[in-house]
Amino acid sequence: MPTPTASTVRFPPFKGYAAIVLAALLFGLMPARSFSQSLPQRANVPYRTDQLELQMWELINRDRADPSNSLETKGRASALQWDDRLAAVARMHSEEMARNGFFSHESADGNSPAQRVSMAGIKWLSTGENIANCSGVSEAESRFMNEPKFQQNHRWNILNVNYTHVGIGVARAPDGSLYITQEFVQLRK
């Protein structure tokens, strides 16, 4: 199973006392159970965005395999393969929306989703994009899948049997909300 790249992952900086505690543990000067008590407890530590991207990918593929969606897919929707190039396109769009506080399929420079996918060097027969701004990936997927059936909407993109690959980008806005972009393609052979 491919793993998305984690260009947006930021790890908390090491503090001097953490290195001291680690050294004390390594040299047996401090019992292991004291270690967790000596580190500051951080509330609301955000999920790493790469984990959220993988979670969203799993949700999409679960929806495609769900028998309750077989009328729309005619049972032909195979699992979407992860594409790092699509993920980079999706991630850049999510980061741009989060950073600049806008919500649109069109990027700030006027490029459409299809143009962004093409500029990444991806040869496609069909392409689609879903975007969301919400508190979590489960909420986004639920909103997408609760749209009307048999219409060209977010749900249709997720269940489209022609799409073979997906890339997902998640970015956290300053207010803590998530900007999520899903890029779908049917690759040209």
Side-chain angles (χ1 to χ4, degrees):
M1 177 186 313
T3 302
T5 57
S7 63
T8 60
V9 174
R10 289 170 181 75
F11 295 99
F14 277 100
K15 303 286 185 199
Y17 65 87
I20 294 168
V21 169
L22 183 58
L25 278 171
L26 289 172
F27 293 108
L29 301 174
M30 176 185 246
R33 71 183 123 108
S34 300
F35 176 68
S36 62
Q37 295 169 350
S38 66
L39 292 177
Q41 300 301 312
R42 300 175 108 185
N44 301 324
V45 175
Y47 288 108
R48 292 176 36 182
T49 55
D50 61 336
Q51 292 172 341
L52 295 173
E53 292 165 355
L54 282 175
Q55 181 184 358
M56 177 63 77
W57 181 38
E58 291 169 2
L59 290 171
I60 288 170
N61 281 330
R62 184 196 67 197
D63 290 334
R64 290 173 67 87
D66 189 330
S68 69
N69 298 324
S70 64
L71 283 177
E72 292 166 274
T73 65
K74 298 183 180 27
R76 297 183 306 125
S78 58
L80 293 172
Q81 295 177 34
W82 184 267
D83 188 293
D84 285 330
R85 301 167 303 165
L86 286 172
V89 171
R91 202 172 291 119
M92 286 187 341
H93 190 59
S94 290
E95 289 172 352
E96 179 185 39
M97 289 189 295
R99 182 176 53 255
N100 297 322
F102 75 95
F103 185 71
S104 174
H105 287 286
E106 189 173 290
S107 59
D109 60 7
N111 287 319
S112 70
Q115 289 170 315
R116 290 191 300 272
V117 169
S118 294
M119 288 187 307
I122 300 167
K123 306 286 188 222
W124 52 270
L125 292 173
S126 60
T127 186
E129 177 180 87
N130 288 347
I131 58 174
N133 177 229
C134 53
S135 62
V137 295
S138 295
E139 177 188 350
E141 194 67 9
S142 177
R143 286 183 187 178
F144 292 155
M145 291 305 293
N146 285 324
E147 291 181 346
K149 295 179 179 185
F150 303 103
Q151 294 184 23
Q152 289 193 358
N153 53 27
H154 299 101
R155 179 186 179 93
W156 183 84
N157 278 340
I158 291 168
L159 299 178
N160 187 331
V161 298
N162 294 320
Y163 292 146
T164 56
H165 292 74
V166 69
I168 299 160
V170 176
R172 192 170 298 280
D175 68 359
S177 67
L178 298 178
Y179 282 84
I180 301 166
T181 304
Q182 301 172 336
E183 299 290 352
F184 302 91
V185 297
Q186 175 185 15
L187 292 178
R188 189 179 329 154
K189 299 195 187 234

